[in-house]
Amino acid sequence: MSVMFENTDGWVKEKIRGITHRSRVTFTAAAAAGILAHMYTLTNKLPNYDELTFGAGGVGVTVSSGRWGLEALHQLSILLVGESYSLPWFSGMIAIAFMALAACYVVKFLDIRQDILCVLTGSVLVVYPAFTCAMFFMFTARYYAFAVFLMAWGLYQFDRQLSVASQRKREGVSGYRRSLFFAWLAGIGCVMLATSVFQAYYPLAAGLCVVKLIQMCLGGEAGEYGKVFRKAWIYLAMLVAAVALYILSAKAVAALAGDPLSGYRGMNQLGTIRAAQIPWMVKEIYKSVILLFTSDFYQVNPTAFLRVALAVCCLFTAVLSAVCMW
């Protein structure tokens, strides 16, 4: 028995020593920022309309809204701890821990190495309005945070395994097909599963892929636009496969559960796109971008100061990007 504990203790110490400096910095910064920013939510009980409607035993509408992953996590929670308790310290700290872990993998995916940027990335991710809103739904906060972590881990593994497969193929080493398989499995699977918990995490994954491509244009791959375009098509293929698999899974789970997709937010039209809708969708995309600087957009920028700050940041980013590309 003592030998077993000694081996376990040695394994844990080895894993801790293997954690990189930037991961330690990112996790610590994100956890500290999360606790400070959400301290009031952690130390007070703030019930909302969903919690009052569904009570302690529910997590809201799941399968009929295409969120079968949320239902799966809820059932797993019942198996492990019983019901979906709305305990601020319990759910809140778990949610912050998952978001801090997600920040670590976002930093790895984007290959951010400077300590200050690691701190800012972790802090922004855990205090962003979207996660702050999720913390008001405390009885589901840990599920949503886990989905973000899963998505970030999947993107990192997708990129890493693709690089490993490419290197092995170039060096003539066996195993590159296995790495390629795990890359697509992690990318498609994790993005699909995160989307099944909450659909908003799909555009988050797409956004991180776009940021990665911008980094390639401004970094070591600047001028190698063929390489950037190839990577863009790879990301696009992964994202299309993930959303296609999500649509199929959502419809299949709804059919098996006997709980058809509802008309809420057009879920019953999931996967249906009419050509006549495309111009309207493009117009809405650009309209949403403009609204970030002109009016309150889904409570992301409720004050004039925030709108001006967003405009200044975007202008500074555009100028800096142009200078770097030049």
Side-chain angles (χ1 to χ4, degrees):
M1 182 65 72
S2 60
V3 173
M4 183 185 71
F5 279 113
E6 287 177 4
N7 292 338
T8 303
D9 184 60
W11 180 84
V12 171
K13 288 181 178 178
E14 183 181 351
K15 291 297 180 182
I16 292 175
R17 284 195 296 268
I19 299 174
T20 61
H21 172 72
R22 62 176 172 176
S23 292
R24 294 172 188 266
V25 170
T26 304
F27 184 89
T28 303
I35 292 172
L36 289 173
H38 305 297
M39 181 61 73
Y40 185 82
T41 309
L42 294 173
T43 55
N44 290 274
K45 186 71 183 70
L46 305 173
N48 58 58
Y49 44 87
D50 272 2
E51 188 174 349
L52 294 173
T53 301
F54 297 101
V59 291
V61 180
T62 55
V63 174
S64 63
S65 288
R67 300 175 188 172
W68 60 266
L70 179 60
E71 180 63 29
L73 289 176
H74 174 48
Q75 295 302 322
L76 179 62
S77 176
I78 292 175
L79 182 65
L80 296 177
V81 298
E83 299 301 337
S84 181
Y85 299 115
S86 184
L87 303 175
W89 273 112
F90 175 72
S91 291
M93 292 302 294
I94 291 177
I96 290 172
F98 275 130
M99 291 299 288
L101 289 172
C104 293
Y105 284 106
V106 168
V107 162
K108 288 183 176 182
F109 174 67
L110 299 178
D111 197 24
I112 298 172
R113 297 184 180 275
Q114 298 91 333
D115 285 357
I116 183 62
L117 294 181
C118 290
V119 169
L120 290 174
T121 301
S123 300
V124 168
L125 191 64
V126 82
V127 303
Y128 197 72
F131 181 64
T132 300
C133 181
M135 291 292 280
F136 284 102
F137 294 78
M138 189 57 74
F139 63 112
T140 55
R142 63 188 186 275
Y143 304 142
Y144 294 138
F146 175 77
V148 177
F149 158 70
L150 188 65
M151 179 271 298
W153 182 85
L155 288 180
Y156 166 69
Q157 292 297 334
F158 178 68
D159 224 40
R160 188 176 75 88
Q161 291 296 333
L162 281 181
S163 298
V164 170
S166 178
Q167 183 177 355
R168 285 178 174 175
K169 185 177 181 180
R170 189 167 54 250
E171 296 175 353
V173 180
S174 62
Y176 82 91
R177 293 182 185 276
R178 184 173 65 251
S179 296
L180 202 60
F181 171 76
F182 281 121
W184 287 99
L185 180 65
I188 295 173
C190 290
V191 172
M192 183 274 291
L193 290 173
T195 305
S196 73
V197 176
F198 192 41
Q199 292 88 344
Y201 299 141
Y202 180 78
L204 176 59
L208 286 173
C209 290
V210 171
V211 173
K212 182 70 174 181
L213 293 172
I214 293 173
Q215 276 188 324
M216 293 177 67
C217 292
L218 301 179
E221 290 83 4
E224 301 179 29
Y225 296 114
K227 185 176 181 180
V228 176
F229 275 111
R230 284 195 297 273
K231 198 59 172 288
W233 282 108
I234 290 172
Y235 283 149
L236 179 61
M238 183 271 292
L239 292 168
V240 169
V243 76
L245 188 60
Y246 162 70
I247 292 171
L248 292 174
S249 65
K251 291 185 175 182
V253 172
L256 290 173
D259 192 7
L261 296 174
S262 69
Y264 178 71
R265 300 286 185 180
M267 285 306 302
N268 55 350
Q269 300 296 322
L270 188 63
T272 302
I273 299 178
R274 290 185 289 272
Q277 289 180 315
I278 296 178
W280 173 84
M281 294 167 68
V282 173
K283 184 194 74 172
E284 287 297 307
I285 291 172
Y286 284 97
K287 179 182 175 183
S288 299
V289 174
I290 294 172
L291 286 175
L292 285 173
F293 314 118
T294 58
S295 62
D296 186 11
F297 184 67
Y298 289 105
Q299 299 178 339
V300 172
N301 52 342
T303 65
F305 173 77
L306 285 175
R307 293 166 207 155
V308 172
L310 281 170
V312 171
C313 286
C314 288
L315 180 62
F316 178 77
T317 302
V319 172
L320 183 62
S321 299
V323 170
C324 289
M325 292 182 73
W326 179 260

